[in-house]
Amino acid sequence: MKWMSLALLIAQTLGFGMTLRYTRLCPGPRFSDLTAVICSEFVKLVASCAMIVAESGTNGLAQSVRHMICEEQRSTALMGIPGVIYAAQNYLYFLGGSNLSVTMYQVAKQAAIPATAVISVVCLGKHVDAGRWIALLVLTAGVAIITLHGDTVVSGNLTIGLSCVLV
């Protein structure tokens, strides 16, 4: 089940930037970014429920929902906070993707990796070895070079696009 979850997550991540940019280049009225984020979260909910049903049946789904709502209210609320932040981040990604080319969008999105590493070291006390720091520096340098070089295919506002993706 975890491999299926990983495969679905990879497929969603890979397809997100390309389909977002493709839909923004199509002529005609544009759809709402907020509606797209809500639909995306709904698809994840349905996929999660389907995986629970496949693993433990419909009774297992009902028991899981009842357990999360009635017995684990605090844990459910604590998981909801990152979920809301993640949905807001997806909305910002839509805004960023609407203002950047696919290349610039994907490269700028990778800038979150060094930030995550620094936060893991400072806040969580994790250890990152020298090889990984070098890889992070190379990644950061690549992001900086692409950003400084500019992107000639940008159809929107570069500042707004980068700000939304990097936040």
Side-chain angles (χ1 to χ4, degrees):
M1 192 59 64
K2 74 177 179 181
W3 292 109
M4 188 167 90
S5 300
L6 179 63
L8 287 172
L9 183 62
I10 289 171
Q12 181 213 5
T13 302
L14 290 175
F16 180 79
M18 293 175 63
T19 54
L20 168 65
R21 190 66 186 160
Y22 173 75
T23 58
R24 293 302 185 208
L25 294 175
C26 292
R30 289 178 28 168
F31 56 84
S32 164
D33 294 333
L34 186 58
T35 302
V37 170
I38 290 171
C39 287
S40 170
E41 295 303 317
F42 182 74
V43 167
K44 291 179 204 175
L45 174 67
V46 169
S48 298
C49 289
M51 289 183 358
I52 292 172
V53 166
E55 192 171 275
S56 56
T58 53
N59 288 339
L61 175 63
Q63 289 173 351
S64 292
V65 170
R66 188 177 322 109
H67 178 74
M68 288 187 310
I69 292 173
C70 298
E71 298 171 23
E72 295 288 331
Q73 295 167 343
R74 185 175 191 281
S75 295
T76 302
L78 289 175
M79 286 189 298
I81 293 169
V84 169
I85 292 170
Y86 181 73
Q89 181 184 35
N90 279 343
Y91 179 70
L92 289 173
Y93 282 163
F94 265 93
L95 291 177
S98 297
N99 287 288
L100 300 173
S101 70
V102 173
T103 305
M104 179 66 87
Y105 170 78
Q106 293 291 1
V107 169
K109 200 171 166 190
Q110 296 307 310
I113 295 171
T116 303
V118 170
I119 290 170
S120 293
V121 169
V122 172
C123 295
L124 302 176
K126 300 275 182 171
H127 174 72
V128 178
D129 61 34
R132 289 188 178 159
W133 280 119
I134 291 170
L136 289 170
L137 288 173
V138 169
L139 176 66
T140 304
V143 170
I145 289 169
I146 295 291
T147 304
L148 291 175
H149 182 273
D151 197 344
T152 57
V153 202
V154 174
S155 64
N157 185 321
L158 181 66
T159 305
I160 290 174
L162 285 175
S163 299
C164 288
V165 173
L166 295 176
V167 167

